[in-house]
C-alpha cells in the first residue's frame, strides 16, 4: 500500500475501483498509444492503494469517442450509474478533468461522487469532491 492509502476509508475499499480509459478520437487511439498504455496502468495504482484485482473495473468502451456529451458514451454512463448506486470507492483517470468535456456531465459526476463518498484520482493525487483542483489536497 502507498502512503496515500491511509486517507482511504475502509468503506471505500469495500467498493469497486473504476479506471476510466479515454481518447477523444480514433486518430488519438491510433497515434497516442503511450497515453492509452498509461491509462491502463492506472489499474495497478488501484491495487497499490489497496483495492483487490477483482474489484478493479476498467472502462474502455468509450475509446475514440468525444467527451463533449455522454450521448453514445456507454462506459461513462455505466460508471456514473455505478457511482450513483454507491458501488464505487474511487474513479481513476489519467486527467480526470477530461472524463467529461461537458460541464453539466462533469458536475453531475462530481455531485454523485460527493454524495456517495467516492474518490476521484489521477496519477499522484486523489480527491474527495467537492473540491477545487487548483487548491486541492494532493497526495
Amino acid at each position: 500500500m502507498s502512503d496515500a492509502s491511509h486517507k482511504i476509508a475502509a468503506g471505500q475499499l469495500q467498493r469497486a475501483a473504476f479506471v476510466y480509459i479515454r481518447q477523444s478520437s480514433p486518430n488519438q487511439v491510433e497515434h497516442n498509444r503511450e497515453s492509452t498504455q498509461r491509462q491502463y496502468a492506472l489499474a495497478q495504482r488501484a491495487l497499490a492503494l489497496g483495492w483487490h484485482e477483482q474489484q478493479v473495473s476498467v472502462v474502455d468502451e468509450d475509446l475514440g469517442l468525444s467527451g463533449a456529451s455522454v450521448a453514445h458514451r456507454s462506459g461513462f454512463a455505466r460508471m456514473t450509474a455505478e457511482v450513483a448506486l454507491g458501488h464505487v470507492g474511487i474513479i481513476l483517470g489519467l486527467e480526470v478533468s477530461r472524463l467529461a468535456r461537458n460541464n453539466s456531465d462533469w458536475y453531475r459526476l462530481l455531485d454523485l461522487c460527493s454524495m456517495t463518498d467516492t474518490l476521484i484520482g489521477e496519477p499522484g493525487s486523489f480527491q474527495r469532491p467537492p473540491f477545487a483542483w487548483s487548491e486541492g489536497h494532493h497526495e
Side-chain angles (χ1 to χ4, degrees), residues 63-74:
L63 268 172
L65 300 176
S66 171
S69 167
V70 294
H72 310 295
R73 289 180 46 203
S74 61

Side-chain angles (χ1 to χ4, degrees), residues 1 34 42 46 58 62 70 74 93 110 117 132:
M1 286 221 220
E34 181 181 319
L42 289 172
V58 175
D62 296 342
V70 294
S74 61
L110 290 179
D117 194 27

Side-chain angles (χ1 to χ4, degrees), residues 14-32:
Q14 293 173 354
R15 295 181 269 154
F18 270 59
V19 176
Y20 190 72
I21 312 292
R22 146 170 172 17
Q23 296 282 0
S24 299
S25 70
N27 186 46
Q28 285 185 346
V29 173
E30 179 65 28
H31 294 97
N32 296 337

